[in-house]
Amino acid sequence: MSHPIPPGTRDVLPDEMLELRELTEGLRSTFGNAGYGEVWTPTLEYEETLRTGDAGGAGAGYRLFDEKGEVLALRSDMTIPIARVVATRLGETEPPLRLCYFGHAYRAAERRTAELREFLQGGIELIGLPGAQGEAEVIALTEDALDRAGLRRHRVGVGDGTLFDRLLDDADVPEEARGELVGCLSARDLVGLERRVDLLGLSAATRNRLVELPSLRGGAEVLERAGGEAVDNLRELHELLAERGAADRVIFDLGLLRQLGYYTGPVFEVYDPAVGFALGGGGRYDELIGRFGRPLVACGMALDVGRVHLAQAAEERLR
Amino acid sequence: MSHPIPPGTRDVLPDEMLELRELTEGLRSTFGNAGYGEVWTPTLEYEETLRTGDAGGAGAGYRLFDEKGEVLALRSDMTIPIARVVATRLGETEPPLRLCYFGHAYRAAERRTAELREFLQGGIELIGLPGAQGEAEVIALTEDALDRAGLRRHRVGVGDGTLFDRLLDDADVPEEARGELVGCLSARDLVGLERRVDLLGLSAATRNRLVELPSLRGGAEVLERAGGEAVDNLRELHELLAERGAADRVIFDLGLLRQLGYYTGPVFEVYDPAVGFALGGGGRYDELIGRFGRPLVACGMALDVGRVHLAQAAEERLR
């Protein structure tokens, strides 16, 4: 008798669980000391609610019917439920709001190799603080939390989820040609991107900008090489991060796209050389809470606690 | 725009969450210091697995199909998944095993008023220690954990989930008449029980035993009044609890039945005068792990952390 568990799920035994709890408590304590109060939301939400937050993302989750025939879904992240809470239960609380969470999120199928279907997320949401000011706080706090967890080689990739769309607008690329280009960039297929851009018959300058900007990746010098106003917001963010002493871990990555539909500006991904997948990610989502009836800007970051644990364990082996 | 959440679920805001986290950490620390290592199991299991543990109980949960058409279910308790883990992943670990857990469990509909559909359980499982020895450890540790959480008026009800069945056997009550009698006792309808027993045409002595034994409730004197060998196991349990200084909080309740199908002996319920519902419950389940291929006796206790929190808050108001 083998009694399997569903693919993409895990049993966690005591030795590992002890380490995961210590890690979680450490992250919570760092977030708490920075003024981020923890919230919990139901594992099951009405699918309609998740769809309000992200029309595209809701389909990726486990769905079921309740006894009244309503469609429920297992949350696929905590940001949408927290947006709901900020607009409803916390509707009277003056911004800025600083919230954190630790909870499992679910995907009905693996999007990529090695991705679990049930995974523990720990994250922060900073609501009501606009622009680079908010983003710098979120990135610096994430770096700090990972420092305290014992990581020493982590990096935060920072891009702008709207940049490529803006470049496509500037280049007057027709709507029907855009899906493939975005697909290439999502898959980090810069060769494919170049080949497809070349078919559009653009001027050399426009063509170069579409192909070269998304390939820029590195320190603050990347923002200089990008030129123009397109990345002014990232330049301001870099300045604020430098003031906080939090710029050294940042890699500007102008080709970075995040798959969630609610990002409206800078997006983040967290990396560690010990783990082949992002430890987490986030970004600015200035319109999401408004979809629940309370127009408030916000940004946040979610860490995959299991992956942070892998990086932590690798770091300890190096000592 | 109201954006409701599913009935029987809750959002937990920072002030309450902080208290819940402190409570949970305290319980975990008490369990850990007693040698109980924490485990985590997937929220979703194959329904087949839950059915292996308790053929009757599986129907009460939320169910859904995965992409291969397999039926998954949200776990309705942690004991069955842990029995699976003990028989599989921990199959090589020598008993006794001491495990604890903190996780949400789910019911697709309220069984009783005020029952949530998603509730946080914290509990312990003591595997491989038979009889009163195991039960005394589980009850004493539960009392200790609640003491440390600041409760001062909690009580543990102790009965025997097999007692009434044994009485029905002794009285030769036919199978088809038993369901109603058990139903009355489950509902604590002793008047209804008496009325139905009177229709069975039993001898006065047998009739009295069937009606009176389940109505006995109180201290150790109850076990004397019960007479005979039927509650010898509870007498031994009382002695061991007294040795541990843990007998004072126990109420022997010979009519106590627990609704789960896997109990094979003593059963427990935890009460506090501040909360109108049991704070938790458990019992001996000597056959459950064997259903997963590893015949090991076991007993355990699960606390509803949200209800323990209510009792804790009430206790603090009294100070």
Side-chain angles (χ1 to χ4, degrees), chain A residues 54-308:
Chain A
D54 181 13
Y62 285 107
R63 277 172 290 183
L64 56 108
F65 291 97
D66 73 4
E67 78 283 7
K68 290 178 181 160
E70 304 270 3
V71 184
L72 304 180
L74 274 76
R75 62 176 173 232
S76 54
D77 77 357
M78 289 286 285
T79 300
I80 293 173
I82 288 177
R84 175 185 56 68
V85 169
V86 169
T88 56
R89 291 284 307 280
L90 291 171
E92 305 295 309
T93 309
E94 284 296 310
L97 284 80
R98 290 178 168 84
L99 301 173
C100 74
Y101 57 87
F102 291 86
H104 289 80
Y106 302 85
R107 288 191 200 101
E110 293 86 352
R111 283 190 311 194
R112 311 177 210 189
T113 326
E115 199 162 58
L116 289 171
R117 298 189 187 196
E118 175 180 48
F119 48 98
L120 178 60
Q121 285 195 322
I124 51 177
E125 310 290 356
L126 174 51
I127 295 130
L129 208 57
Q133 202 81 36
E135 295 138 27
E137 178 173 328
V138 164
I139 292 169
L141 180 54
T142 302
E143 291 178 9
D144 186 33
L146 295 176
D147 279 342
R148 286 169 196 268
L151 271 60
R152 290 181 300 182
R153 299 178 293 162
H154 52 292
R155 292 286 179 274
V156 180
V158 176
D160 185 329
T162 68
L163 177 60
F164 195 60
D165 267 346
R166 284 187 277 127
L167 294 179
L168 294 172
D169 285 345
D170 292 349
D172 284 326
V173 175
E175 198 59 50
E176 61 273 18
R178 293 185 178 198
E180 278 204 328
L181 301 181
V182 171
C184 285
L185 190 54
S186 280
R188 298 277 177 167
D189 175 11
L190 294 175
V191 175
L193 176 66
E194 188 166 356
R195 213 177 49 226
R196 282 180 178 78
V197 168
D198 281 340
L199 298 174
L200 295 173
L202 305 169
S203 75
T206 304
R207 178 254 176 225
N208 287 347
R209 205 160 164 73
L210 260 185
V211 169
E212 285 168 14
L213 229 66
S215 72
L216 291 177
R217 192 165 188 279
E221 75 281 0
V222 154
L223 304 178
E224 299 318 311
R225 284 171 55 198
E229 295 165 10
V231 295
D232 273 356
N233 55 348
L234 299 184
R235 284 191 198 101
E236 189 189 351
L237 175 55
H238 176 257
E239 267 173 42
L240 293 176
L241 286 168
E243 281 171 22
R244 289 173 174 266
D248 291 349
R249 293 204 177 278
V250 168
I251 299 166
F252 289 98
D253 177 352
L254 302 191
L256 185 62
L257 290 177
R258 296 273 303 161
Q259 295 187 323
L260 291 168
Y262 49 66
Y263 290 120
T264 58
V267 289
F268 326 130
E269 269 187 4
V270 182
Y271 313 105
D272 187 278
V275 182
F277 312 93
L279 303 188
R284 175 157 291 285
Y285 54 95
D286 283 349
E287 288 160 18
L288 176 58
I289 305 175
R291 288 179 206 157
F292 291 99
R294 192 181 183 199
L296 277 178
V297 302
C299 66
M301 180 88 83
L303 294 170
D304 182 315
V305 177
R307 291 180 178 178
V308 174

Side-chain angles (χ1 to χ4, degrees), chain B residues 163-241:
Chain B
L163 177 60
F164 195 60
D165 268 347
R166 284 188 277 127
L167 294 178
L168 294 172
D169 285 345
D170 292 347
D172 283 327
V173 174
E175 200 56 52
E176 61 273 19
R178 293 186 178 198
E180 277 204 328
L181 302 180
V182 171
C184 286
L185 191 55
S186 280
R188 298 279 177 165
D189 175 11
L190 294 175
V191 175
L193 175 66
E194 187 166 359
R195 212 176 51 227
R196 282 181 178 77
V197 168
D198 282 341
L199 298 174
L200 295 174
L202 304 169
S203 74
T206 303
R207 177 254 176 226
N208 287 347
R209 205 159 164 74
L210 261 186
V211 168
E212 285 167 13
L213 229 66
S215 74
L216 290 178
R217 191 167 190 279
E221 75 282 359
V222 153
L223 304 179
E224 299 318 311
R225 284 171 56 198
E229 296 164 9
V231 294
D232 273 356
N233 56 348
L234 298 184
R235 285 191 197 101
E236 189 190 349
L237 175 54
H238 176 256
E239 265 172 43
L240 293 177
L241 286 168

Side-chain angles (χ1 to χ4, degrees), chain A residues 1-7 9-14 17 21 25 28 37-46 49 52 62-68 72 74 84-85 88-90 99 102 104 106 108 117-118 290-293, chain B residues 1-7 9-14 17 21 25 28 37-46 49 52 62-68 72 74 84-85 88-90 99 102 104 106 108 117-118 290-293:
Chain A
M1 288 187 279
S2 69
H3 308 294
I5 53 179
T9 69
R10 300 185 62 217
D11 291 318
V12 184
L13 303 185
M17 196 66 201
R21 281 291 177 191
E25 288 312 305
R28 190 199 329 283
E38 190 183 2
V39 291
W40 167 264
T41 70
T43 303
L44 288 165
E45 296 261 359
Y46 288 116
T49 299
T52 299
Y62 285 107
R63 277 172 290 183
L64 56 108
F65 291 97
D66 73 4
E67 78 283 7
K68 290 178 181 160
L72 304 180
L74 274 76
R84 175 185 56 68
V85 169
T88 56
R89 291 284 307 280
L90 291 171
L99 301 173
F102 291 86
H104 289 80
Y106 302 85
R117 298 189 187 196
E118 175 180 48
R291 288 179 206 157
F292 291 99
Chain B
M1 289 187 278
S2 69
H3 307 294
I5 53 180
T9 68
R10 301 185 60 217
D11 291 318
V12 183
L13 303 185
M17 197 65 202
R21 280 293 176 189
E25 288 311 304
R28 189 198 330 281
E38 190 182 2
V39 290
W40 166 265
T41 69
T43 303
L44 288 165
E45 296 260 1
Y46 287 116
T49 299
T52 298
Y62 285 107
R63 276 172 291 183
L64 56 107
F65 292 96
D66 74 5
E67 77 284 7
K68 290 177 181 159
L72 304 180
L74 274 76
R84 175 185 56 68
V85 170
T88 57
R89 290 284 308 278
L90 292 171
L99 301 173
F102 291 85
H104 288 81
Y106 301 85
R117 298 189 188 198
E118 175 179 47
R291 289 179 206 157
F292 291 99

